[in-house]
Amino acid sequence: MTEKPYIILTMKWGTLYAADYVNVLYNACSKYINHPFRFICMTDDPSGIVEGVEIMPIPEMDLGENRFAFGGWPKIAVFKKDLFGLEGRALFVDLDTVIVGDMTKMFELPGGVVLIREWRRFIDYFRKRKVNGMTSIFAFTLGEQTAIYDSFMENPDFAFENYRSEQRWVTDYATDMQFWNPKQVVSFKRDLLAPPLINRFIAPKIPDPETSIVVFHGVPRPIDVVPDNNKPWGKWSRWGRGPVKFVRDFWIENGGTDPT
């Protein structure tokens, strides 16, 4: 009996992320998923993407280009009742994700939508904070969380006026929301970078053996820490200099162009 493939979904629109990001992610999944899978990239520009990646259009939502600017609102479309006829358990992965360990069990975790538990900012320790999910990487069963998409499409203006990003919308409209093990999915800038000012003298930590995914949200992006030179990257609070070895190795070993 043939095993039903897992589904990997990602999206690429505009010019911020080159085809290299898709190719590197696809090659890394081939190493770190011990199960048949289909890798699907929804994009408005398939040029440069390697064979093996299934290219599909970004589902039309009539959002307008100006609404692509902040957040990942087009990702809401993966919760349609019928997404290109795809079935089964799916994992959506942002392009600025670094894979460092086995991902197979991430498809097997129960839950309506399995999200990152949003990392606390410094200011959050001083005020009442609602628990929110973060959509850099999430698992769900295709066709089962349609309220997320349907409610959005009924009144997208309400969503844009009242929600800062699509991940807050998903948090409010998902059923049976669960979170990844915090050791399995970590933030580069929250978990691996040293605190502000100290990061001038201490290099980023190496992910633990238990970690599967390192998420890059905001600045720096993975490509910023790949060049093999001594140039600074990031912001004053999330600052570093030169290559981060595990990120550079991930990028180069999975076919990314060396930006040095």
Side-chain angles (χ1 to χ4, degrees):
M1 182 177 177
T2 303
E3 290 182 289
K4 192 172 184 178
Y6 293 147
I7 304 295
I8 297 281
L9 302 171
T10 194
M11 278 188 184
K12 183 178 86 72
W13 66 82
T15 58
L16 181 60
Y17 297 106
D20 262 4
Y21 272 93
V22 180
N23 301 339
V24 166
L25 193 61
Y26 168 70
N27 290 331
C29 286
S30 299
K31 294 180 181 178
Y32 288 111
I33 299 178
N34 186 26
H35 187 97
F37 71 91
R38 295 173 63 185
F39 188 102
I40 294 155
C41 178
M42 291 163 276
T43 183
D44 56 3
D45 179 11
S47 59
I49 295 176
V50 297
E51 185 178 352
V53 176
E54 297 182 48
I55 303 296
M56 295 185 180
I58 298 172
E60 181 58 56
M61 295 171 67
D62 295 322
L63 298 183
E65 289 186 12
N66 61 320
R67 287 178 167 175
F68 276 50
F70 188 85
W73 288 102
K75 291 193 284 187
I76 294 287
V78 303
F79 297 108
K80 294 177 66 173
K81 180 66 176 175
D82 180 10
L83 183 68
F84 308 116
L86 298 170
E87 297 179 344
R89 199 66 172 169
L91 194 67
F92 187 98
V93 186
D94 275 354
L95 291 176
D96 53 355
T97 298
V98 173
I99 304 172
V100 295
D102 183 62
M103 298 171 64
T104 310
K105 292 183 178 179
M106 299 180 79
F107 291 90
E108 301 165 1
L109 290 175
V113 182
V114 187
L115 301 153
I116 298 166
R117 184 173 181 137
E118 190 176 39
W119 292 284
R120 281 193 169 190
R121 299 170 298 171
F122 179 74
I123 194 171
D124 292 325
Y125 289 92
F126 300 95
R127 63 187 184 190
K128 187 176 179 180
R129 175 179 180 264
K130 178 183 174 182
V131 175
N132 286 300
M134 185 178 179
T135 60
S136 292
I137 179 165
F138 60 90
F140 68 107
T141 300
L142 288 149
E144 287 192 0
Q145 292 285 326
T146 56
I148 297 172
Y149 173 80
D150 292 342
S151 298
F152 174 81
M153 293 305 294
E154 285 173 7
N155 192 353
D157 289 336
F158 171 81
F160 290 121
E161 290 167 6
N162 292 277
Y163 286 80
R164 186 169 181 264
S165 68
E166 94 293 337
Q167 56 197 25
R168 300 292 175 90
W169 182 271
V170 173
T171 296
D172 279 2
Y173 285 86
T175 57
D176 188 21
M177 184 173 66
Q178 304 294 327
F179 298 109
W180 302 114
N181 181 320
K183 290 186 178 180
Q184 186 176 33
V185 180
V186 304
S187 163
F188 177 76
K189 65 183 183 181
R190 305 284 187 200
D191 297 319
L192 302 182
L193 271 184
L197 300 182
I198 298 175
N199 55 28
R200 263 64 173 171
F201 310 100
I202 297 178
K205 293 186 290 186
I206 299 171
D208 290 337
E210 301 169 73
T211 300
S212 299
I213 301 291
V214 178
V215 175
F216 281 71
H217 45 110
V219 176
R221 293 183 294 126
I223 198 65
D224 298 332
V225 304
V226 169
D228 191 11
N229 55 35
N230 197 37
K231 292 183 179 180
W233 43 258
K235 298 179 179 179
W236 75 269
S237 60
R238 306 293 177 188
W239 188 93
R241 182 183 290 278
V244 176
K245 186 178 185 306
F246 81 88
V247 182
R248 179 173 171 81
D249 289 347
F250 162 81
W251 185 262
I252 301 299
E253 290 173 7
N254 288 296
T257 304
D258 190 343
T260 303

